[in-house]
Amino acid sequence: TVDVVALGESMVTFLPTRPGRLADVPSFDRSIGGAESNVACMLAAAGHSARWVSRVGDDGFGDHLVETIGAYGVDVTAVRRDPARPTGVYFRTAGDRATDAHEVAYYRAGSAASAMSPATVDLPAARAGRVLHLSGITAALSADCLGLLRELTAPRPGRPLISFDVNHRSRLWRDGEGAAVLLELARAADVVFVGEDEAEEAWGVTGGPEAVRALLPEPGLLVVKEGARGATLFGANRAPKEGARGAMLFGANRAPSPGTFVPALTVDVVATTGAGDAFAAGFLSATLRGLPQRRRLRHGHLWAAAALTVPGDLATPPARDHADRLAALDGT
Ligand code: KDG
């Protein structure tokens, strides 16, 4: 079995060669982005088996995505080519150092990936992992994509553990449209990642991680990310479910209610894009390895630090032995 299958749209990404407004930047460097494939690439780079399921255009950018993601060691054999729709691309500007304000220009409407549906992706390949990692971005792409997420998160015997990163991207939703959908999908998942800021933006939740947990009591593991401060993990305060999924969810040390806070690392931020994906990948890696819950958060922070300190969306994860030593520093 594959450890983690990640399903979602990836894009060729254009990073600015200098600071400034989109209107002024004269040239861009090609890179790749895509929240879910970022997770798959980092996990594969760290020695886990990972598969990316998606659709790309039958074009050069599609070739580039498949080749680059494949080169991380991710299984890309279930990625389908769409002869009629292009691969999505996006451009962004460098963030303002003080505020991280940056511009993003997506060219993804009508992309090959936006045509993902239960009929156009390889469903058995998507369901074959121990963990299926999904994100709220996919739900925003089209009605077909939302239908696919509903199909994949529906209860069914032998369903993989569903990991869901809310990834609220307001520019992909019409005003207020995403709130109910993102809540529905998060409630159907086993492991949920959400930023405090996203929870406020999408659902109007203020009042900290506990208020987010009150809105989302269902997931066995809920991670509320508090930006540069840190993250709080809520584990279910109930008996583990049967079998491997239960063991992975609750691990040896069950998180005490009401939540375990672990501070983030202090780093010189180059670009925040991709940090959430790196956090999810680090957390999932530690979860797959059965590490105690505080260490899962520490691995999340260590992997996020790697992404925060590079300009691209995707970073190389820290070496496992090194990260393990750092994650164990306070002895918990
Ligand atoms: O999390 C990083 C992603 O936002 C980036 O790689 C692009 O997938 C992307 C998106 O839809 O914004």
Side-chain angles (χ1 to χ4, degrees):
T1 346
V2 186
D3 286 339
V4 177
V5 176
L7 177 144
E9 174 164 37
S10 298
M11 292 167 289
V12 171
T13 305
F14 291 92
L15 302 173
T17 51
R18 61 179 76 164
R21 303 183 310 153
L22 205 50
D24 301 325
V25 176
S27 56
F28 295 81
D29 285 332
R30 184 189 59 172
S31 184
I32 66 161
E36 302 84 357
S37 64
N38 289 346
V39 171
C41 288
M42 288 190 83
L43 285 166
H48 295 279
S49 56
R51 170 183 294 156
W52 174 50
V53 176
S54 191
R55 293 177 71 81
V56 297
D58 196 6
D59 49 29
F61 286 152
D63 293 343
H64 181 63
L65 285 177
V66 171
E67 285 163 16
T68 310
I69 293 167
Y72 275 86
V74 175
D75 171 16
V76 291
T77 54
V79 177
R80 293 200 178 154
R81 314 294 295 232
D82 189 324
R85 297 177 185 84
T87 304
V89 302
Y90 93 101
F91 294 77
R92 66 181 160 85
T93 60
D96 178 278
R97 276 190 81 82
T99 61
D100 188 42
H102 59 275
E103 294 169 72
V104 174
Y106 289 128
Y107 298 88
R108 67 196 304 182
S111 67
S114 69
M116 289 191 294
S117 76
T120 64
V121 303
D122 185 341
L123 286 179
R127 291 184 167 128
R130 293 170 73 194
V131 176
L132 172 59
H133 181 73
L134 304 168
S135 103
I137 295 171
T138 309
L141 299 180
S142 67
D144 277 346
C145 284
L146 174 57
L148 174 62
L149 291 193
R150 286 191 167 129
E151 168 77 26
L152 290 170
T153 55
R156 75 185 248 139
R159 185 185 85 164
L161 192 85
I162 302 289
S163 162
F164 183 72
D165 192 334
V166 172
N167 269 341
H168 180 245
R169 298 281 183 275
S170 52
R171 72 183 58 239
L172 293 178
W173 293 100
R174 272 182 304 242
D175 274 354
E177 208 188 40
V181 165
L182 293 173
L183 194 58
E184 169 202 327
L185 293 168
R187 286 183 167 154
D190 301 295
V191 183
V192 171
F193 303 94
V194 64
E196 226 182 357
D197 52 344
E198 290 179 304
E200 179 168 359
E201 211 181 35
W203 303 316
V205 182
T206 52
E210 286 73 20
V212 181
R213 183 52 158 173
L215 182 73
L216 277 174
E218 297 87 354
L221 293 175
L222 171 68
V223 181
V224 182
K225 298 174 288 176
E226 295 155 67
R229 248 168 53 71
T232 300
L233 169 62
F234 296 91
N237 202 13
R238 52 186 150 86
K241 291 178 197 165
E242 292 298 304
R245 292 176 65 228
M248 239 199 287
L249 268 182
F250 301 103
N253 301 12
R254 223 173 299 159
S257 199
T260 304
F261 174 78
V262 172
L265 285 95
T266 306
V267 295
D268 260 333
V269 176
V270 175
T272 54
T273 318
D277 309 331
F279 183 96
F283 184 90
L284 290 175
S285 166
T287 300
L288 285 159
R289 295 171 57 213
L291 298 189
Q293 298 201 342
R294 296 185 72 81
R295 290 200 199 176
R296 299 182 191 189
L297 288 173
R298 287 218 181 84
H299 276 269
H301 290 319
L302 283 161
W303 291 40
L308 286 165
T309 48
V310 296
D313 296 11
L314 184 50
T316 308
R320 183 177 289 187
D321 56 344
H322 185 58
D324 279 345
R325 273 198 302 278
L326 290 172
L329 275 183
D330 78 348
T332 58

